[in-house]
Amino acid sequence: MVIKGVLFDFSGTLFRIEPVRDWFAAVLREEGVDVPPEDFEPYVTGLTEAGALPGGPAPLRVPEGLAGAMARRDLTPALHREAYTGLARTVALPDPGLYDALYARHMRPEAWRAYPDAVEVLEGLRRAGVAVGVVSNIGWDLRPVFRAHGLDELVDAYALSFEHGLQKPAAELFRIACTMIGRDPADVVMVGDDRIADGGAAALGCEVRFVDHLPVPERPDGLRSLGLVPG
């Protein structure tokens, strides 16, 4: 096919959230909370198993009282906050202020790293005249992350679940994204790391290509290897 548009997922595709250990340590520093070295690792393990970091490891178990919020978390900012602060609260942290601080941290640009080949691929698509959109299941505005990392100018449109009241794999969210970038779905490739959520674009007629959701150092050329850039 002649690629005229590419839609990208956000977390695990173009960017990756910092590790749980770094996330927790950063908030402890910012909040001025001292944790004995022997207690630090158990807290990290607890938060990891709870799935408290959005974009991080999935929870080992979702408490019954949070099941509804987790299933619909990307439809509104309130549900997203409820779900993830709720998961964090299953871990008894040393200061009650840490729960909100941890949630706030994950939305900050410095908590995210772009994959090594993200800029190269987006710049190549821009030079080739290929329209680019971002389609994300998310409960907050990710545009500041793209701006801070210098990628915003390489993206033509954002279709975010909480802004449209739709979650991937709903085909309508991909349809909205294709309309926003002005391309027919048959000429668009969807790139993501989730075969269910991102694979929903296939129902619309988009070709779907996948990358592995790996730590940044372990995936230096996952996007480049997809052959998205002509020539």
Side-chain angles (χ1 to χ4, degrees), residues 66-219:
L66 291 175
M70 280 296 291
R72 301 170 60 246
R73 64 188 181 277
D74 295 316
L75 293 175
T76 71
L79 283 169
H80 196 269
R81 176 180 287 273
E82 176 187 347
Y84 283 104
T85 58
L87 291 174
R89 289 180 189 280
T90 63
V91 181
L93 297 179
D95 186 306
L98 290 174
Y99 301 106
D100 287 335
L102 285 167
Y103 184 80
R105 166 79 186 180
H106 101 275
M107 295 185 287
R108 287 160 43 185
E110 59 265 35
W112 294 87
R113 289 182 62 189
Y115 280 95
D117 54 351
V119 172
E120 174 191 333
V121 170
L122 291 179
E123 286 179 341
L125 292 171
R126 176 55 54 93
R127 286 194 300 270
V130 177
V132 170
V134 171
V135 187
S136 179
N137 280 352
I138 198 163
W140 49 276
D141 186 2
L142 51 71
R143 293 174 183 87
V145 175
F146 279 76
R147 287 196 292 269
H149 289 269
L151 273 66
D152 180 62
E153 61 185 16
L154 302 173
V155 176
D156 298 297
Y158 298 87
L160 310 182
S161 59
F162 82 97
E163 293 183 336
H164 297 281
L166 295 164
Q167 293 183 147
K168 297 183 293 185
E172 184 60 25
L173 188 59
F174 299 106
R175 187 187 308 279
I176 289 169
C178 289
T179 299
M180 292 174 77
I181 65 171
R183 298 293 188 268
D184 188 293
D187 300 322
V188 172
V189 174
M190 173 65 203
V191 178
D193 66 297
D194 188 318
R195 280 161 172 72
I196 295 176
D198 299 313
L204 195 62
C206 298
E207 182 179 326
V208 185
R209 301 181 189 180
F210 294 102
V211 291
D212 295 321
H213 190 149
L214 294 172
V216 168
E218 297 178 23
R219 211 195 76 195

